[in-house]
Amino acid sequence: FAHFLEHMAFNGTKHFPGLELLRFVENAGMSFGADLNAYTSFDETVYMLTVPTDDRALLSGAVQVLHDWASGITFDSAQLAQERPVVIEEWRLGQGADARMRDKQLPVVFRGSRYAERLPIGDTAVVRHAPRSELVRFYEDWYRPDLMSVVVVGDVDPARMERMVRERFGTLRNPANPRPRPVVPVPGHPETLVAIATDPEATVSSVQVLWTHEPPPDGTVGDYRTQLVQGLSGGMLNGRLGELAQQPSAPFVYAYAGDQQLARVRDAFVMGGPAKEGALLPTLAALLAEARRVDDFGYTATELEREKADLLRGYERGFAEREKTNSSRYADEYVRAALTGEPTAGIAFEYGLASRFLPDITLAEVNAVVRRQVTDSNRVLLVNAPRKQDARVPSEPELLAVFDSVRAAPITPYVDDVATTPLVERAPEPGRIVATTPLPAVDATVWTLSNGVRVIVKSTAFRADQVLLDSYSPGGSSLAPDSLWIAASTASTVVGLGGVGTLDAVQLQKALAGKAASASASIASSEESVGGSASPKDLETLFQLVYLRFTAPRADSAAFTAFRSRMRALLENRSREPEAIFADTLQVTLAQHHPRARPISVAWLDSLDLDESMYVYRDRFANAGDFTFVLVGAVDTATARPLVERWLGGLPAVDRPERGRDLGIRAPTGVVRRTVRAGQEARGTTQLVFTGPFDYTRENREALSALSDVLDLRLREVLREDMGGTYGVQVGASSMREPRAEYSVGIGFSAAPERVDELTRAVFAQIDSLQRVGPTAEELAKVKEIQRRALQTSLTQNGWWAGQLIFHDRNGWDPALILKQDALVAAITPATVRAAAQQWLHRERYVQVTLLPAR
């Protein structure tokens, strides 16, 4: 009922009948899903609405929406009938191996509690047959003022907004005899509960150990200090597990530890991770051994020093960004305050507490945390595994025996391997900025260095503690011969695992403790890049890391072997997953089985070669002279200039003009349909992809985007709202210029298998409508307003600016055009979209791949 009622809140209220609520949001330039949404969990339903604050009528309307949700849902019979199948489709989307195994294990986790009997998504029989009168009864029982909270965060006048809320919500009254809201307990248990779940479509084995407990108090300064102690312990324990995962002998792919909320009244300390093939028992033993190692020997002083530095640095950055924090983060915090009583002290107060307490927290305090968390009572062991003939899953007695064996096994102390060498042992000779070109239209500057490197610098005030660095260079993996294509496509990943210079990956992470800086390299099909981010105070560290990614890549055979072992565990059973088979079929069909478009597989993994990857990597980053960097954010140019000259100007450069090579990967030119039969769930999924040549202009890109957005809007209304056939439709469009200009439009949805053909016909009917008469004026107005609002938001984001500066530079376009994108949006007409549909949605040229259950 709770979840079904959440759906009905979007399908007719007193002041927004039918789908008027969706129209109100879209007319305001907001999107269903991103700006209008809700969720129902075990203990609450939360509605979320984002609206612009520059229009008083919209703000007033938003408060009216909240009021209608609280007391004005109409439960229109026609809308009720239409929404039942939509809720079923949401349920259907969540089905599969993970859901089947979860359904076996949750009753064990919540044994003895009503939480074990229900999931928030709902019972499908109830959804199909619940009488309107019962939903109304539930609404009247539980949607009442004493159980409601209203949270408003944004660029508003607080006093005026408070008056609006009081005027609308002050008229609501509690029932004369309200039903008591029960607090549903989750009882503890002295024994270890075990739940083993297998499934023929599962792809990875995993182990989780939960030690359940009541939520800890958090209302006092002393409670906050306790949280800091626990945070330090958790950070160090995860650091150790991360180190283990990078060893070839590790039995798990990765591992984690931390606190998790199970329900309002029950939390758990969890240790777990996916196991390598046949290593469930060793994985469990390794997890328990790390907990016992801390219990027996504690953490080291150097670990604690690093963890304190990292934690305090995080508080420092949060404090620096206090005036730039996104409204949604405040809203989330206030929602938690309303639901659980979590204090909202604010970052200034919390930063003060952290600065006060962290220096005095001792090893003895932190060492005692795991001893309190890892006990013999209230323990739950969950094991998941693929069900197949050639694999044996450990029995419950075998799993329980691991606890005793680890308790009796010899354990050695942890050794903290910390390198003493500096990050860069010898700084390069700096280059010089030989040309400075202002870009006044976008308030940026281009520095050209003596080695040919170009740097576009834009200082912003969008974030107080953020600097972003990105780059591009033509070439990429396309320039590698076919014999090295796998080495080329994986080179940046494989080589990056080795660290840089004399530091392996673990030592590098330790060397960066207390610093906010990171950088990584990437090799795409037609270009390579190095990018990263930093706090302004750690800007030199960012440039040093970039320099090392170019000049000192590190081949680490142990890290490489560990990587292959981890990947093998993820790939060995991948073909059991219906969605993976579907995705692979779509990929090879679109590429017409081109050798370089083969899906990832165990055979692909076996062909990896570290020496070949290192060879390709060194070749791709041997010449920095054709790189263009962008530096955007809280950049002080006087500080940045000498750093750029030394670390980017000191990069090697050779005279080697390059561009990406056309590999000859082509989509089919006719109509290709493929049907995949896999899986046991009654779910069908289809993907339509239209492709073809493209005249790559700014106007055409905007027309393609508008076509995609109009189609997305219309198909959601028709397939979901009118037909009740799917929970959602995904429409996306893209275009590229290199190695050749072409476009792609993808349309995808999931539904009951027997309705896939019907819904596909409806998709083509809407395409035909757009091609014949184009969009309505209302549809296009919504899309243009959504795009305008999105652009308005993007203009205040460093990441967007970095991407736009690179994009325009790569295409040789004047960066002044960045600020003229609103004119492109304004120029779109219904005729533009109609022509776009005619030109780019050819009935004679598309690929359709459909996934249906196995017969």
Side-chain angles (χ1 to χ4, degrees):
F1 282 1
H3 179 235
F4 197 174
L5 179 53
E6 173 211 312
H7 274 246
M8 293 310 300
F10 297 94
N11 284 270
T13 66
K14 180 179 179 180
H15 296 91
F16 300 91
L19 300 179
E20 285 303 312
L21 175 56
L22 300 184
R23 295 188 178 98
F24 165 77
V25 170
E26 289 166 347
N27 288 334
M30 301 292 103
S31 302
F32 179 57
D35 302 301
L36 176 69
N37 214 326
Y39 70 84
T40 296
S41 71
F42 277 123
D43 296 290
E44 70 269 346
T45 296
V46 177
Y47 295 91
M48 298 161 288
L49 176 62
T50 303
V51 294
T53 59
D54 56 1
D55 186 322
R56 286 197 172 194
L58 288 178
L59 279 178
S60 178
V63 177
Q64 185 64 63
V65 170
L66 299 180
H67 176 269
D68 275 19
W69 283 336
S71 66
I73 299 176
T74 56
F75 298 97
D76 177 80
S77 296
Q79 291 291 332
L80 190 64
Q82 282 187 310
E83 197 63 22
R84 292 184 195 273
V86 175
V87 181
I88 296 297
E89 291 308 316
E90 183 183 2
W91 168 85
R92 194 189 308 277
L93 274 179
Q95 299 309 293
D98 289 343
R100 292 190 291 268
M101 293 188 290
R102 175 204 64 202
D103 290 347
K104 294 177 183 178
Q105 293 177 335
L106 279 184
V108 178
V109 174
F110 291 116
R111 191 185 71 170
S113 169
R114 290 185 68 189
Y115 288 107
E117 303 167 15
R118 289 167 174 80
L119 287 175
I121 190 70
D123 184 307
T124 55
V126 172
V127 173
R128 286 189 173 99
H129 305 296
R132 179 183 182 278
S133 59
E134 287 295 292
L135 286 168
V136 173
R137 188 268 306 162
F138 185 94
Y139 184 51
E140 292 173 347
D141 279 344
W142 302 116
Y143 277 54
R144 61 188 203 230
D146 64 321
L147 299 179
M148 292 179 189
S149 295
V150 176
V151 171
V152 181
V153 181
D155 183 15
V156 296
D157 174 6
R160 178 173 176 272
M161 181 56 65
E162 182 179 344
R163 284 195 303 272
M164 291 174 62
V165 172
R166 288 187 180 278
E167 288 170 2
R168 303 283 173 82
F169 287 83
T171 60
L172 302 182
R173 295 291 179 264
N174 289 305
N177 297 298
R179 291 182 63 183
R181 184 187 187 281
V183 176
V184 180
V186 179
H189 45 88
E191 74 275 34
T192 299
L193 306 180
V194 181
I196 304 170
T198 63
D199 194 275
E201 294 174 16
T203 60
V204 178
S205 300
S206 66
V207 176
Q208 267 196 332
V209 189
L210 291 73
W211 290 269
T212 69
H213 58 85
E214 293 182 355
D218 62 359
T220 70
V221 169
D223 295 335
Y224 196 85
R225 188 182 188 281
T226 299
Q227 291 176 6
L228 289 174
V229 174
Q230 291 177 335
L232 291 168
S233 173
M236 289 185 285
L237 182 55
N238 277 293
R240 290 188 178 187
L241 293 173
E243 283 189 42
L244 279 177
Q246 297 183 61
Q247 296 178 8
S249 59
F252 45 73
V253 180
Y254 61 86
Y256 52 84
D259 284 306
Q260 174 182 327
Q261 184 186 62
L262 301 178
R264 187 80 60 82
V265 297
R266 203 71 176 171
D267 289 356
F269 176 70
V270 182
M271 295 188 73
K276 295 177 181 176
E277 189 83 357
L280 282 166
L281 292 175
T283 292
L284 176 59
L287 294 170
L288 298 175
E290 283 312 301
R292 193 189 143 199
R293 198 182 318 276
V294 175
D295 195 5
D296 286 358
F297 301 106
Y299 298 107
T300 67
T302 47
E303 283 179 289
L304 181 58
E305 180 183 352
R306 286 197 306 271
E307 197 62 35
K308 284 183 178 181
D310 281 338
L311 189 56
L312 189 59
R313 189 73 175 90
Y315 277 99
E316 182 182 36
R317 299 196 76 190
F319 179 74
E321 295 281 12
R322 64 192 180 281
E323 301 298 334
K324 306 293 183 180
T325 304
N326 192 285
S327 296
S328 63
R329 292 190 59 182
Y330 285 114
D332 290 343
E333 185 174 0
Y334 299 146
V335 167
R336 295 195 301 271
L339 295 174
T340 68
E342 177 185 309
T344 56
I347 186 59
F349 188 74
E350 293 188 36
Y351 179 38
L353 291 182
S355 301
R356 169 185 166 193
F357 288 138
L358 281 174
D360 296 329
I361 292 175
T362 65
L363 264 176
E365 290 179 89
V366 181
N367 291 341
V369 170
V370 170
R371 191 173 301 122
R372 292 194 303 269
Q373 293 171 323
V374 178
T375 63
D376 292 335
S377 61
N378 298 321
R379 189 166 60 191
V380 183
L381 173 60
L382 307 178
V383 172
N384 292 348
R387 186 189 307 152
K388 52 184 184 178
Q389 290 183 344
D390 58 346
R392 180 181 173 276
V393 179
S395 65
E396 181 174 327
E398 289 174 314
L399 290 162
L400 290 175
V402 175
F403 290 92
D404 293 329
S405 65
V406 170
R407 188 178 293 112
I411 298 286
T412 58
Y414 169 81
V415 176
D416 192 14
D417 180 16
V418 182
T420 58
T421 55
L423 193 60
V424 180
E425 293 189 273
R426 184 177 178 180
E429 288 296 318
R432 295 178 298 105
I433 293 175
V434 295
T436 299
T437 307
L439 304 175
V442 292
D443 195 21
T445 301
V446 181
W447 289 334
T448 302
L449 292 157
S450 50
N451 59 354
V453 169
R454 299 169 66 247
V455 184
I456 305 173
V457 186
K458 179 176 175 61
S459 297
T460 73
F462 305 143
R463 296 281 299 273
D465 203 51
Q466 183 188 69
V467 177
L468 301 181
L469 181 76
D470 205 349
S471 65
Y472 76 94
S473 163
S477 62
S478 67
L479 298 185
D482 289 345
S483 61
L484 293 178
W485 84 268
I486 292 180
S489 62
T490 59
S492 56
T493 299
V494 168
V495 175
L497 294 167
V500 290
T502 61
L503 305 177
D504 64 30
V506 173
Q507 291 170 331
L508 176 62
Q509 185 178 15
K510 293 176 180 179
L512 295 174
K515 294 182 180 295
S518 63
S520 60
S522 176
I523 301 176
S525 177
S526 58
E527 66 182 37
E528 51 271 350
S529 64
V530 177
S533 64
S535 167
K537 67 183 294 185
D538 297 315
L539 191 58
E540 181 162 24
T541 301
L542 170 61
F543 281 118
Q544 290 176 331
L545 290 170
V546 169
Y547 175 78
L548 291 170
R549 293 295 180 193
F550 272 92
T551 63
R554 186 178 181 277
D556 188 324
S557 58
F560 175 72
T561 302
F563 168 74
R564 294 217 317 183
S565 178
R566 293 195 301 271
M567 288 297 296
R568 183 176 297 277
L570 298 176
L571 292 175
E572 280 178 321
N573 299 301
R574 183 175 178 272
S575 61
R576 292 174 164 269
E577 183 179 34
E579 290 74 17
I581 303 172
F582 171 72
D584 290 350
T585 303
L586 180 63
Q587 179 176 325
V588 299
T589 303
L590 283 170
Q592 298 192 85
H593 296 267
H594 192 283
R596 289 207 184 195
R598 294 200 304 268
I600 190 171
S601 64
V602 172
W604 175 93
L605 182 69
D606 288 338
S607 65
L608 290 181
D609 183 282
L610 179 58
D611 291 335
E612 289 181 352
S613 289
M614 179 61 77
Y615 169 80
V616 173
Y617 184 97
R618 289 188 183 280
D619 175 70
R620 289 295 82 221
F621 294 100
N623 175 29
D626 62 353
F627 266 79
T628 296
F629 289 84
V630 296
L631 191 65
V632 177
V635 182
D636 175 55
T637 54
T639 301
R641 184 182 180 105
L643 298 177
V644 165
E645 289 184 316
R646 177 172 292 281
W647 300 108
L648 299 185
L651 288 171
V654 295
D655 184 14
R656 192 177 68 177
E658 292 178 330
R659 61 177 298 177
R661 180 167 63 99
D662 186 350
L663 298 172
I665 300 175
R666 300 289 189 271
T669 56
V671 175
V672 179
R673 299 186 184 94
R674 298 281 185 270
T675 298
V676 177
R677 291 265 179 191
Q680 57 184 284
E681 290 296 336
R683 180 174 64 237
T685 300
T686 199
Q687 185 79 23
L688 293 159
V689 183
F690 298 83
T691 61
F694 189 66
D695 184 10
Y696 198 88
T697 65
R698 295 173 64 248
E699 292 76 14
N700 279 350
R701 282 176 47 83
E702 181 55 42
L704 183 65
S705 176
L707 170 64
S708 173
D709 290 348
V710 167
L711 196 55
D712 184 82
L713 192 74
R714 181 175 287 194
L715 292 180
R716 190 208 71 225
E717 289 192 0
V718 173
L719 270 64
R720 172 178 165 140
E721 307 300 344
D722 296 344
M723 301 176 67
T726 184
Y727 182 63
V729 184
Q730 297 77 46
V731 181
S734 63
S735 60
M736 67 179 186
R737 188 171 189 170
E738 296 290 343
R740 68 200 166 277
E742 59 185 9
Y743 74 93
S744 172
V745 178
I747 305 167
F749 61 86
S750 292
E754 63 273 15
R755 298 200 67 185
V756 168
D757 288 344
E758 172 196 3
L759 296 176
T760 302
R761 288 193 295 272
V763 169
F764 277 104
Q766 294 308 311
I767 290 174
D768 288 344
S769 174
L770 284 178
Q771 291 174 335
R772 284 185 289 104
V773 298
T776 65
E778 182 185 13
E779 286 175 321
L780 188 57
K782 289 178 182 179
V783 164
K784 292 171 74 168
E785 184 63 14
I786 289 171
Q787 291 185 346
R788 190 181 72 82
R789 292 289 185 181
L791 178 61
Q792 189 179 51
T793 301
S794 297
L795 285 165
T796 63
Q797 296 173 344
N798 289 328
W800 184 85
W801 272 104
Q804 288 293 309
L805 288 168
I806 278 189
F807 175 75
H808 282 71
D809 189 79
R810 181 193 288 125
N811 286 296
W813 293 345
D814 185 348
L817 295 173
I818 295 174
L819 295 176
K820 297 180 180 179
Q821 294 187 39
D822 54 345
L824 287 177
V825 174
I828 297 293
T829 67
T832 307
V833 177
R834 178 171 175 257
Q838 293 171 343
Q839 185 174 6
W840 298 319
L841 297 177
H842 291 292
R843 271 186 174 270
E844 298 77 26
R845 179 170 179 157
Y846 67 88
V847 167
Q848 179 181 358
V849 177
T850 301
L851 171 66
L852 296 174
R855 291 189 177 91

